[in-house]
Amino acid sequence: QLQVEESGGGSVQAGESLRLSCVASGVIKTSSGYKYHECMGWFRQAPGKEREGVAVVYTGNGYTCYNDSVKGRFTASQDKSKNNLYLQMNSLTPEDTAMYYCAAGTCEGVRCSRALETADQFGFWGQGTQVTVSS
């Protein structure tokens, strides 16, 4: 079964950068056999707040959408294998402090913005990596 694991979190000062990494290994079992994940995403949850989508990448064509709060500062990318997802985070602020989760799933026929907003398409999640930004 598909497994997801993220890494790369840490503690930084405001204005600094961090790069998160995520690897998805395995396949998604279906009633007719198996399929590969079609999308990967980064989500975050700060203490006392709801989880929110940060970025979603459609692995087939590389299409990516972002939460407005990170546009221009964060860049999500995948490697050629489409199993590794990265999140380059620049100009970090204390408001970016959260547990960051990587997820993988099937997004066929779903708008990127909806996948980002609801996370309903993501059935496979990592354990999370903490990002702490101090002022």
Side-chain angles (χ1 to χ4, degrees):
Q1 190 67 301
L2 186 65
Q3 293 185 325
V4 177
E5 184 175 3
E6 61 279 91
S7 61
S11 298
V12 297
Q13 298 287 320
E16 295 184 342
S17 300
L18 273 177
R19 188 179 192 234
L20 305 183
S21 299
C22 173
V23 56
S25 55
V27 296
I28 300 171
K29 293 182 180 179
T30 68
S31 59
S32 57
Y34 67 91
K35 65 188 301 184
Y36 293 100
H37 58 279
E38 299 162 342
C39 52
M40 295 182 72
W42 289 102
F43 298 82
R44 67 185 181 185
Q45 187 166 21
K49 294 187 177 181
E50 293 187 356
R51 183 184 62 196
E52 64 175 356
V54 176
V56 166
V57 177
Y58 280 54
T59 56
N61 59 14
Y63 183 81
T64 305
C65 59
Y66 295 93
N67 186 308
D68 286 346
S69 66
V70 306
K71 282 182 181 177
R73 299 189 300 123
F74 291 12
T75 302
S77 61
Q78 60 178 352
D79 70 350
K80 289 183 178 180
S81 74
K82 301 179 183 180
N83 292 323
N84 291 280
L85 181 70
Y86 307 98
L87 185 67
Q88 178 65 43
M89 305 184 293
N90 298 329
S91 302
L92 285 160
T93 73
E95 288 68 38
D96 295 315
T97 295
M99 184 71 78
Y100 283 70
Y101 298 91
C102 179
T106 56
C107 293
E108 184 178 3
V110 178
R111 289 197 313 273
C112 191
S113 58
R114 178 168 180 81
L116 184 69
E117 180 180 359
T118 67
D120 289 346
Q121 313 310 122
F122 297 93
F124 303 90
W125 294 77
Q127 294 298 308
T129 185
Q130 178 67 38
V131 172
T132 302
V133 185
S134 56
S135 57

